[in-house]
Structures are given as structure tokens and as C-alpha cells.
Amino acid sequence: MAPTPDPRELGEMIRATPEQRRARILGLVELAMAMFVLFIFALGEGSDADATFKLALPSDRFQPLDWTVNPQIVGIAAATVLAVLAGVQLTKGFGTRANMILGGAMVLFVFAFLAWAAAGQSFSLIGMLTSTVVLSVPVTLGGLAGLMCERVAVINIGIEGQLLTSAFVGTIVGSTWGSWPAVLAAALAGALLGWVLAVLSIKYVVDQIVVGVAINIFALGLTSFLSGRILSENPQFNSVDRFRTVGIPWLEDIPVLGNLFFKQNLFLYGTILLVVVIHFALFHTRWGLRSRAVGEHPKAADTVGIDVLRVRYRNVILGGAIAGFGGAALTLGSTGRFEENMTAGVGFIGLAAMIFGRWRPLGVLGAALVFGFARAMQQKLGILGTNIPSEFLSMAPYIVTIVVVAGLIGHARPPAADGQPYIRD
């Protein structure tokens, strides 16, 4: 007679693991996307009219570059692929490739959505993609600032305040002495707030979250007060020369990619350079090894002779300077003037990009492009006159942030000592 299984062991065998539950949720999400694409984008009203995507700007060398698609065909094809992906996900699962497959599913969904939204019209796809890259710059820099701090186990919630203060300082200095001194002043302002964060959280062991929140509130109040007292009464201090677009010879003529990456201003080139340099330094130099050791196990790092506190000070101040460069990008690279609370949550979205990018510079850049796309779509879809309420479009970047951070990234492990103060024995 076969032995009776223990009910507790049987329950553990039946109970799904977290990975299995997540795979099922992802499969259901992809199935819902397939149904939505089929019944709304493919079979919805007006989906039989062709949509034309423009892939070249009027100033481009190669003209015209138009791509005409039928939203109905695109929707049916996308729904079919999504349904197949959902079926595989629900039955076998994609294992470690689940996030990559989900990313591909989201791209299909967005493409079907754009084809539906542009039905019967022409839409500047290259314009939206260019806006995506431009809008991702401050988000990337905010994410890199957070990464520099958290890799040495210091949580920086004050990125929003650093961006805002730097944007204000950059505007004042730029209006008086020019654009290049303004970039330097903005970076120094960000570094100064980074130093404040470092002193309070490292030397005086104040709760890092509280310090970050205090910096944000202080920056918002100070810039709002000074903006009302100085910039409103002296408009000559609120007008800076923006950095012009500089094209890289030959590369700027490449269709699509030339507009996205080789015909931009200082801030995009600087951002890409920072991503590459920080990635290389973090994973291939002694500085990076020490920083990661301090973030993972500061006690062990101390025992081998690494000055833990010094490494933390240096990284937090450098992170502040990077956030300051991002603040300069908001005014000197985009609007040309300071507006009260003009960051509008970019610093917090940068933190989300850092988590979505799993504390890696290249991951931060990729995540920032996702958030930049959400913001660009919000701006461009208003031009098409879709039936989507403008209030919903305004919420789009923040909804994407919540969805990504809340459930789609899976298990993301921060540095082991993240947020923990270090006190020498």
C-alpha cells in the first residue's frame, strides 16, 4: 500500500512559486493586450483607413521617407503574435527571457496603437522618436545620480531638488555670464546639495530618506521664492541662450538614427558619454570595484583598507554634480528659461529608471528611453486629435512609472547595504 502523502508537503508541491505566479500574470497581461489590440485597434471604428508615418524631417538630406500601413492589418498581426506569446507564457513560460519578451510585446502594442491613432492621417514618427531621446536626457542623468549614490549604499531621494536648484542657478548664471559658466554653476549647485546629503547622512547618520525629502522641500520652496522675487521682477535674468544642435558629419545623414543620436546638443552627447564612462569605470576599474564593495559589504571593504566614508562622500558629491548637469539640461538644453517646479517629477522618474535599469548605467539609459517615449507620446498624440482624454495623456508618464516599478520589473536586487549607515568600531 502506497504511503499517504503529508498534507503539508502536498500543499507545498501544489503551491506555485513566485516565479510561476509572475509568469502567469505576465501571460494574462499579454493575453489582455492581444484582446485589446484585436477589438479596439484592429476592428474598431475607422481602422480601415491607412496611416502614414513620416521618418524624415524637412531638413533631412534624404526625402521623402514615408511608411504607409493599414491599421487593421497591423492590429490583426500584432494581436496574433501577442496571443501566441501569451499562450507560450501561460503553458511553458519564457524563463529568464520573460522581461525581454514582455518588452517586445509592449513594442507591438504601442505600434498597433500608433497605427490606430494615426488612421487616415500622416504622423511624424521621427519627430516623436527625436522627442523621446531629448526627453530621456534629464531622466537618464537623474538615474545616474541615484546610481552613483546607491552603489555606495547611500539612498538619494533628493534628486528632484538637485535638478530644480541646478536649473535655477544655471538660468541666473547663464543670463549673466553665458551658457558654459552656467553649466559649471549648475553642476556645482548639484554637487553642493550632494555634499549636504553626504554630511547629514554619513557624518551625522541622519535617516537618508528624511534628508532627501528635506532637500526636495527646501529646493522647491527656495526656487519658488527666488523665482517670484528675482525672475518675475527682472526678466533679463530668466533668458539664457540654449545650446545649439551640432551634427556629426556623415553620421547625421543616416536615416532615422542620424536625427536621434547624431544631430543633438551638448547634453545628449554628454549623457551618452557619461553612461559609457560610468559603466566602464564601475565594472572595469579599481574605483568601481571599491564602490561596489562599499555598497555590498562595507565592513569587509574596511577590513581590506578601503576608506568607506571617503568613497561614500566622493560618490554622493559626484552624483550631485551629475544631477546638476541634468538640471542645466532642462533650461540650457530645452526651454531657455526657468519655470517654477519645472522638473515636475523628473527626479523621481529618474529613480524609477535606476531601479528599472537594475542599478546599471546602460539599464538606466534604456529605462529612461521608455519613460521619455511615454512623455513624447503624451505631447504628440494631442496633435493627432484622438478621442483619448488629454488628462489621461498627461498621466501617461506617471502611469508607466507606477506600472514598471510596481510589477513588471520582477525581482531587482539593490546593493546589499543600501541605505545602511556605516560607523567604524
Side-chain angles (χ1 to χ4, degrees), residues 15 18 27 42 47 87 161 298 307 320 372 420:
R15 192 179 301 123
S47 59
D307 190 335
Q420 299 175 10

Side-chain angles (χ1 to χ4, degrees), residues 119-262:
Q121 305 178 61
S122 62
F123 177 65
S124 178
L125 183 60
I126 187 63
M128 190 176 74
L129 294 178
T130 304
S131 297
T132 296
V133 174
V134 172
L135 292 170
S136 70
V137 167
V139 178
T140 305
L141 293 170
L144 289 178
L147 180 146
M148 290 288 291
C149 299
E150 295 209 13
R151 275 293 181 175
V152 292
V154 176
I155 297 175
N156 185 1
I157 300 294
I159 297 172
E160 180 83 0
Q162 290 175 324
L163 288 170
L164 193 60
T165 305
S166 303
F168 179 82
V169 172
T171 302
I172 294 286
V173 175
S175 302
T176 309
W177 289 291
S179 300
W180 285 103
V183 174
L184 179 62
L188 289 176
L192 178 62
L193 288 179
W195 175 79
V196 171
L197 171 66
V199 170
L200 292 177
S201 61
I202 298 174
K203 183 175 182 180
Y204 295 104
V205 200
V206 181
D207 187 282
Q208 296 167 9
I209 304 295
V210 174
V211 176
V213 172
I215 288 176
N216 288 334
I217 296 173
F218 171 76
L220 179 60
L222 181 66
T223 56
S224 297
F225 173 75
L226 294 178
S227 176
R229 288 301 181 94
I230 298 177
L231 300 185
S232 298
E233 298 176 4
N234 303 280
Q236 69 273 18
F237 292 138
N238 195 14
S239 178
V240 294
D241 293 331
R242 291 180 297 174
F243 280 90
R244 295 180 179 178
T245 298
V246 178
I248 299 177
W250 301 103
L251 296 178
E252 65 175 327
D253 292 329
I254 299 174
V256 182
L257 292 180
N259 282 309
L260 297 185
F261 300 109
F262 306 116

Side-chain angles (χ1 to χ4, degrees), residues 249-331:
W250 301 103
L251 296 178
E252 65 175 327
D253 292 329
I254 299 174
V256 182
L257 292 180
N259 282 309
L260 297 185
F261 300 109
F262 306 116
K263 197 188 290 183
Q264 297 288 348
N265 61 25
L266 162 78
F267 294 101
L268 178 70
Y269 297 140
T271 300
I272 294 175
L273 182 64
L274 275 172
V275 168
V276 173
V277 168
I278 293 176
H279 180 84
F280 178 81
L282 198 57
F283 297 105
H284 300 285
T285 68
R286 189 173 65 174
W287 167 81
L289 181 62
R290 291 187 170 195
S291 296
R292 287 184 287 131
V294 169
E296 294 293 337
H297 204 308
K299 183 68 177 176
D302 197 3
T303 57
V304 297
I306 297 175
D307 190 335
V308 174
L309 301 184
R310 183 179 179 184
V311 172
R312 287 189 173 182
Y313 268 107
R314 184 173 58 195
N315 275 39
V316 172
I317 293 173
L318 281 175
I322 292 172
F325 186 61
L330 291 170
T331 53

